[in-house]
Every structure is written in structure tokens, then in C-alpha cells.
């Protein structure tokens, strides 16, 4: 949900017109934009309020060298003595079979014992990926398997999915010779001095919610071992309360954008946004103009496929990339 995988080329074209060495990906999500900037040799600071998001950027952005050998990954699937059975007890007959719940408990118990922070991040990222691959539609807003369409991912065992994910992540680890960093913080409170800030917050629209936690609460809870959250036991899905965010309401979103633009007024600003979101494009331009000499809007035709029926007007939108820069910033010259 919300991944910019199909838009990274457009985001790079918008960003690469400027000279910059460091970048803050303030709402990193899946980490794909952070990874793109890392691949282009930039020093990348990734941040996301979701622990599952910051875990994958710990494994692939901050981590430059460490991999998790398959032999060690296989050992994580072996039970050693008595284990904490939280998943088996809490989520019995909700998302997975008893056998699969046991597998998750075994692996997560063993992950907690890994001393190397990057191996631990790789293992947890692989486990969360396996959980999503083994879940019809990859979300946790319903009980049972009514969306099981027999796809190959659902036919694979948890063991296969986990080891496949470890191998994929291992192959994606590379060293860009920069001191990159991953944070799990509130974007409104984080403050970093960088050349460019990329902002891709949860989009507010009255037509649908932007509740990432509601859709991914199981894997988010898994990534943080359900620490610091209170499961709503009366719910069928055993979800926990969503994290507070100013982007859940129109006025809150507008104020949040203004706060972020002001905070990073001395950095190049690149903002991803959607034509069906609020504030409107015109309002976003006005907000940016408060702090930037030059504002450019780059429209990108885009079709959303998540959670909507195919061939409907609702998922045919324009994705906007807003660019805000001051004269002389990042090599920009208004006369060129």
C-alpha cells in the first residue's frame, strides 16, 4: 500500500536536476525510494513510524555489508527448548494454521536472540515478508482465507517463503560507501540536516482511509514483538490501536505539511502526492511558496491497484511530484 516502486524513475528525474549529497526519506515505507537514492550514491537517512518499515531499511539502507547466511537462517527455523507461544495463543484460527503459527513463534523467538543488529533486521524483514506472502491479498483486515485464489505464493510453505525472502534480501545488500541511517521515529518530531528531503506521507482523502496499521497490524506487531501496543481483544482480527497521525484529517494534514515545509525550508523539498488527496494541488503549491522561491509541479499518470476494483475511475489518478527550491540551492538558478 502506497509503495512508490512504479514511480522511482519519475522521482529520480525530479530530484537529479539538483546537486545534493545527502537525503532524508521522511516516510520511507517499503524503503524503495531510499534504496533508489542509495543506489545513486547518496548518503541516505530513512525514517518511518512503522517498525516493519524501519526494519527493512535497517537491513538494506543502513546496512552496507552484512548478510544472513542461509545456514543460519535454517537454524532459526529449529525450536530450542520451550518458547513463547504468543502468536499461537493470540491468533489461533485467525490468519494461519496451527502449524504456521508455531513456525512464526519459533522463528521470532530465535530472531530475538540474534546479537548482530543487521542479521536480526534481515531475519525479521524476511519473516514479515513471508507472513504477507502467505496471506491472501497480503493484509490483515479480515479473518480466514476467503481471498485465497490459489496463487503460487499461497501454495509455498512458510519455510520456503522465509528462506526465499532471506536470499532476496541478502542479494539486495550493497555498500554505497556512505554512512546511511535508519530511524523508527515520528516524522513530525525528527529533525535532520540534509541537502534534500523527500516527503511521501499517508495521503488523506475522504473516499478511503490511510490506516496502514489497520491493514498490517499483524506484521507490524511482529516486527516490534507487540511491545508498546495494546491489542484490542474484542476485535475479530485482534488488531491494536492505530498510531496517531495528523494526516488522518484534512486540516491536520494541511498543518502538518506547513510544519514540515517550514522545518526543512533550508533543504530541497521533493514531495509525492496524489490528485485525489487533500489539501488540493493548489493549496500544496501555496504552502510550498511560503518557504521556497521556486515551486514546480510534475504530474505523473498513475493507476492504483491496491484495494480497488480494476477499471474504475477511482483508481485512475495523477500522482504529483512537487519540487520546492530556493535560488542557489542545489545548484538551482532561476535564470537558467
Amino acid at each position: 500500500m502506497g509503495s512508490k516502486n512504479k514511480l522511482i524513475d519519475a522521482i529520480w528525474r525530479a530530484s537529479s536536476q539538483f546537486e545534493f549529497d545527502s537525503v532524508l526519506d521522511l516516510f520511507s515505507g517499503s524503503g524503495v525510494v531510499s534504496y533508489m537514492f542509495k543506489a545513486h550514491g547518496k548518503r541516505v537517512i530513512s525514517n518511518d513510524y512503522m517498525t516493519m518499515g524501519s526494519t527493512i531499511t535497517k537491513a538494506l539502507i543502513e546496512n552496507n555489508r552484512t548478510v544472513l547466511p542461509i545456514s543460519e537462517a535454517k537454524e532459526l527455523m529449529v525450536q530450542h527448548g520451550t518458547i513463547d507461544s504468543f502468536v499461537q495463543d493470540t491468533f489461533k484460527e485467525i490468519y494461519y494454521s496451527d502449524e504456521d503459527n508455531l513456525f512464526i513463534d519459533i522463528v521470532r523467538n530465535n530472531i530475538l536472540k540474534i546479537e548482530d543488529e543487521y542479521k536480526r533486521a534481515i531475519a525479521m524483514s524476511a519473516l514479515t515478508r513471508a507472513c504477507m506472502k502467505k496471506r491472501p491479498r497480503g493484509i490483515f483486515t479480515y479473518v480466514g482465507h476467503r481471498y485465497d485464489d490459489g496463487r503460487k505464493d499461497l501454495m509455498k510453505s512458510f519455510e520456503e517463503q522465509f528462506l526465499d525472502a532471506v536470499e532476496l534480501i541478502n542479494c539486495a545488500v550493497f555498500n554505497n560507501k556512505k554512512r546511511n541511517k535508519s530511524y523508527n521515529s515520528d516524522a513530525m518530531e525528527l529533525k535532520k540536516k540534509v541537502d534534500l528531503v523527500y516527503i511521501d506521507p499517508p495521503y488523506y482523502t475522504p473516499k478511503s482511509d490511510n490506516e496502514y496499521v489497520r491493514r498490517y497490524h499483524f506484521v507490524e506487531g511482529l516486527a516490534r514483538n507487540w511491545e508498546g501496543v495494546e491489542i484490542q481483544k474484542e476485535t475479530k482480527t485482534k488488531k491494536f490501536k492505530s498510531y496517531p497521525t495528523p494526516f488522518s484529517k484534512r486540516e491536520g494534514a494541511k498543518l502538518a505539511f506547513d510544519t514540515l515545509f517550514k522545518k526543512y525550508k533550508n533543504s530541497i523539498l521533493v514531495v509525492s502526492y496524489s490528485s485525489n488527496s487533500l489539501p488540493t494541488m493548489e493549496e500544496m503549491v501555496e504552502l510550498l511558496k511560503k518557504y521556497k522561491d521556486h515551486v514546480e509541479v510534475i504530474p505523473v499518470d498513475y493507476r492504483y491497484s491496491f484495494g480497488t476494483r480494476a477499471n474504475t475511475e477511482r483508481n485512475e489518478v495523477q500522482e504529483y511530484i512537487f519540487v520546492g527550491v530556493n535560488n542557489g540551492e542545489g545548484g538551482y538558478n532561476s535564470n537558467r
Side-chain angles (χ1 to χ4, degrees):
M1 177 185 174
S3 174
K4 292 298 179 289
N5 187 47
K6 296 180 180 179
L7 297 171
I8 54 173
D9 288 341
I11 294 167
W12 175 246
R13 285 194 298 270
S15 306
S16 62
Q17 60 184 309
F18 308 110
E19 297 173 5
F20 64 99
D21 295 316
S22 58
V23 56
L24 168 61
D25 187 356
L26 200 52
F27 300 84
S28 60
S30 67
V32 66
V33 175
S34 287
Y35 195 85
M36 177 268 290
F37 280 121
K38 182 179 180 180
H40 282 289
K42 307 303 179 182
R43 181 173 68 86
V44 182
I45 299 174
S46 299
N47 176 72
D48 202 82
Y49 76 138
M50 298 278 282
T51 304
M52 59 182 286
S54 62
T55 300
I56 189 64
T57 55
K58 185 82 171 181
L60 290 178
I61 307 303
E62 182 175 319
N63 174 29
N64 275 337
R65 297 181 179 86
T66 303
V67 297
L68 177 65
I70 293 299
S71 59
E72 293 182 24
K74 288 181 178 179
E75 188 63 25
L76 294 175
M77 302 189 298
V78 179
Q79 182 172 344
H80 302 281
T82 304
I83 62 171
D84 168 21
S85 58
F86 182 85
V87 172
Q88 298 168 80
D89 298 337
T90 309
F91 300 98
K92 182 179 177 62
E93 298 179 347
I94 295 181
Y95 301 120
Y96 306 109
S97 67
D98 291 346
E99 181 182 4
D100 289 344
N101 285 335
L102 172 60
F103 175 84
I104 296 169
D105 273 332
I106 291 172
V107 176
R108 73 177 186 85
N109 273 265
N110 287 329
I111 288 174
L112 293 173
K113 300 174 185 176
I114 300 175
E115 294 184 1
D116 186 281
E117 60 180 334
Y118 298 124
K119 288 184 177 181
R120 191 165 60 246
I122 292 171
M124 182 52 71
S125 295
L127 182 58
T128 57
R129 178 181 171 85
C131 288
M132 293 174 71
K133 287 288 187 179
K134 284 289 289 179
R135 182 74 184 145
R137 299 180 69 189
I139 56 176
F140 301 86
T141 56
Y142 66 94
V143 173
H145 301 270
R146 63 177 180 266
Y147 298 110
D148 188 341
D149 58 4
R151 69 184 58 187
K152 185 178 179 181
D153 278 334
L154 301 176
M155 301 295 289
K156 283 186 174 182
S157 68
F158 246 106
E159 290 83 356
E160 289 175 303
Q161 287 288 4
F162 176 66
L163 293 178
D164 285 352
V166 171
E167 187 171 1
L168 281 170
I169 296 169
N170 281 342
C171 289
V173 172
F174 74 98
N175 184 5
N176 75 339
K177 300 180 181 179
K178 302 289 184 180
R179 295 182 62 184
N180 309 298
K181 189 69 178 176
S182 170
Y183 288 95
N184 178 207
S185 304
D186 183 341
M188 304 308 298
E189 297 180 2
L190 188 70
K191 174 63 176 177
K192 296 294 175 181
K193 187 176 181 180
V194 292
D195 299 329
L196 184 147
V197 179
Y198 175 69
I199 300 175
D200 179 31
Y203 299 164
Y204 169 74
T205 170
K207 297 179 180 180
S208 63
D209 69 67
N210 57 13
E211 291 283 2
Y212 287 81
V213 172
R214 183 176 71 85
R215 289 173 172 82
Y216 301 114
H217 66 90
F218 179 82
V219 281
E220 171 65 4
L222 180 64
R224 62 185 297 159
N225 201 32
W226 286 274
E227 293 179 358
V229 299
E230 184 177 346
I231 293 179
Q232 297 171 306
K233 296 181 179 180
E234 73 281 1
T235 62
K236 291 182 180 180
T237 57
K238 298 297 184 288
K239 64 180 180 177
F240 56 86
K241 189 175 181 181
S242 294
Y243 305 144
T245 170
F247 293 96
S248 60
K249 296 182 180 179
R250 175 174 178 159
E251 286 306 312
K254 186 175 182 179
L255 179 60
F257 276 122
D258 187 69
T259 300
L260 291 175
F261 296 163
K262 182 178 181 180
K263 181 188 293 188
Y264 294 107
K265 64 182 180 180
N266 294 323
S267 300
I268 302 163
L269 295 175
V270 178
V271 185
S272 282
Y273 209 55
S274 174
S275 62
N276 62 0
S277 300
L278 296 173
T280 64
M281 178 189 73
E282 292 77 14
E283 290 174 311
M284 290 287 286
V285 169
E286 288 305 310
L287 286 173
L288 278 165
K289 282 184 174 179
K290 290 173 63 176
Y291 308 104
K292 290 297 180 182
D293 298 329
H294 175 78
V295 176
E296 181 181 3
V297 183
I298 304 168
V300 182
D301 290 330
Y302 188 61
R303 175 186 288 272
Y304 286 96
S305 59
F306 182 92
T308 54
R309 292 189 297 271
N311 300 319
T312 63
E313 292 183 2
R314 182 179 174 185
N315 59 354
E316 292 179 350
V317 301
Q318 277 196 317
E319 185 85 3
Y320 296 130
I321 300 175
F322 296 95
V323 177
V325 64
N326 289 325
N327 291 328
E329 192 173 54
Y332 174 76
N333 186 337
S334 60
N335 296 319
R336 68 179 180 181

